Amino acid sequence: MSTTIQLYGGRKIDIKTGLFINNEFRPSANGSVLTTPNPATGENLATISAATVEDVNAAVTAARTAFETTWGKKSTPSQRCSLINKWADLIEANIDSLAELESVDNGKPVWMARDVDIKDSIGCLRYYAGLADKIEGRTIEQEDGIKIAFTRAEPIGVCGQIIPWNYPIQMFMWKVAPALTAGNTVVIKPAEQTPLSALRLAELALEAEFPPGVLNVVNGTGAITGDAISRHMDIDKIAFTGSTVTGRKIMGAASKSNLKKVTLELGGKSPVVVFDSVDIDQTANWVCMAILFNHGQDCCAGSRLFCSRDDQG
């Protein structure tokens, strides 16, 4: 259940290829696989397990068990803080190989993956780890001697998360870090184009000694795996970054199941308004950079340039 990926500079890394469910890497229930391409060459990079509905069910069962027995209200803020910080330390210790893996699988430069995406992800983990013991309720003043009122913040439960391909590690952490900090358990589906770094992050979570079922990674297609997550009756919350078209499908599936909470990041990004006083050549450079970073993925409907000068295209 592993494959060897050739990295840059002659280095190699062994990556688990199974689904990560209940702290185990396992094949899909019916042997389904998907092949991720090398974006630089178009050649096949790795073949990994693709989750079926049955596999999603198993992941959700593991996440629910963990939520009710070892995580959620059964864990302490200090425990969650310690484990998340330990995970951040392991990612930092492996930052170079992770950056090269991200570059091979996603196509972005190694320096960008290392110095922007992964360093930000480590910071994201540590930020939320620091919040673990600061999730608090409040008391509400009432008439003396009649009643007392207070609020208590509690975890939602099992969170299904679906992320895009443009920032595989960063999007993973933006979704997972706050959910785990608050005591939720996670079933996450990476984009089928960039599944490898999530599997490596799962290995490091296992090394950090998260309890079984707290984090589950189910690679697969949106039509099967993503749809199964969206419709699942025992998932309490969905978080999705992607296209508006897919967001509508997720919202519809959630509404027809258990009315789970849904958070959607959809549509176009990086609109630019250009005024008459600008250096148009320099503006074009910056707009192209915005498009390079943000356009071309399915969650970005388009980066538009609105120019008030009639003579400029």
Side-chain angles (χ1 to χ4, degrees):
M1 294 298 296
S2 65
T3 189
T4 301
I5 304 294
Q6 181 73 50
L7 302 178
Y8 301 111
R11 292 203 296 175
K12 297 179 180 179
I13 185 172
D14 290 330
I15 294 293
K16 301 293 185 182
T17 58
L19 308 171
F20 185 70
I21 299 174
N22 209 35
N23 275 13
E24 297 177 343
F25 288 93
R26 61 176 74 171
S28 60
N30 66 358
S32 295
V33 296
L34 63 85
T35 299
T36 182
N38 183 328
T41 65
E43 298 176 352
N44 293 341
L45 180 61
T47 298
I48 62 169
S49 297
T52 64
V53 174
E54 184 178 344
D55 296 312
V56 171
N57 290 341
V60 174
T61 297
R64 178 61 63 189
T65 300
F67 180 74
E68 293 177 349
T69 59
T70 60
W71 208 246
K73 290 183 283 185
K74 301 294 184 179
S75 63
T76 64
S78 60
Q79 176 193 5
R80 299 195 296 273
C81 173
S82 176
L83 288 173
I84 292 169
N85 272 318
K86 186 176 180 180
W87 195 17
D89 291 342
L90 289 168
I91 292 170
E92 188 169 47
N94 290 274
I95 192 170
D96 290 328
S97 61
L98 265 173
E100 291 185 23
L101 177 65
E102 188 85 327
S103 180
V104 169
D105 196 25
N106 169 267
K108 65 179 60 184
V110 173
W111 70 264
M112 184 182 295
R114 182 187 60 242
D115 298 338
V116 179
D117 294 14
I118 301 177
K119 285 186 177 180
D120 178 88
S121 298
I122 293 168
C124 178
L125 277 174
R126 289 180 174 151
Y127 173 84
Y128 282 105
L131 286 179
D133 60 357
K134 300 169 185 67
I135 302 171
E136 301 166 343
R138 66 191 186 97
T139 58
I140 303 168
E141 192 165 345
Q142 302 289 320
E143 254 185 88
D144 288 342
I146 296 179
K147 57 184 175 180
I148 183 171
F150 66 92
T151 64
R152 176 182 175 180
E154 295 185 349
I156 294 172
V158 177
C159 294
Q161 302 176 337
I162 302 170
I163 58 175
W165 61 265
N166 60 335
Y167 293 88
I169 291 178
Q170 207 167 21
M171 281 286 181
F172 185 103
M173 287 309 173
W174 287 350
K175 294 283 193 287
V176 168
L180 295 187
T181 296
N184 302 294
T185 54
V186 169
V187 176
I188 187 168
K189 188 198 91 66
E192 51 262 44
Q193 301 91 340
T194 52
L196 300 183
S197 56
L199 294 171
R200 181 62 181 135
L201 292 174
E203 283 190 84
L204 295 176
L206 183 61
E207 188 175 342
E209 300 181 311
F210 279 89
V214 170
L215 174 68
N216 304 273
V217 179
V218 286
N219 281 302
T221 63
I224 297 175
T225 312
D227 185 69
I229 290 172
S230 303
R231 295 181 184 280
H232 204 286
M233 293 294 290
D234 202 28
I235 287 180
D236 303 294
K237 168 78 164 58
I238 291 286
F240 169 73
T241 296
S243 71
T244 303
V245 171
T246 303
R248 288 195 183 101
K249 292 179 180 178
I250 290 172
M251 182 68 79
S255 69
K256 293 173 183 175
S257 55
N258 58 343
L259 288 175
K260 57 178 63 67
K261 298 178 184 294
V262 179
T263 302
L264 304 174
E265 181 190 3
L266 312 173
K269 294 176 64 176
S270 305
V272 179
V273 179
V274 179
F275 294 95
D276 289 335
S277 58
V278 304
D279 178 333
I280 197 67
D281 292 330
Q282 187 73 339
T283 300
N285 287 337
W286 282 105
V287 171
C288 287
M289 183 176 291
I291 293 172
L292 173 66
F293 278 102
N294 296 317
H295 187 51
Q297 57 148 326
D298 68 348
C299 75
C300 301
S303 299
R304 292 185 170 85
L305 171 62
F306 295 97
C307 188
S308 63
R309 293 163 62 171
D310 292 336
D311 61 333
Q312 301 291 342

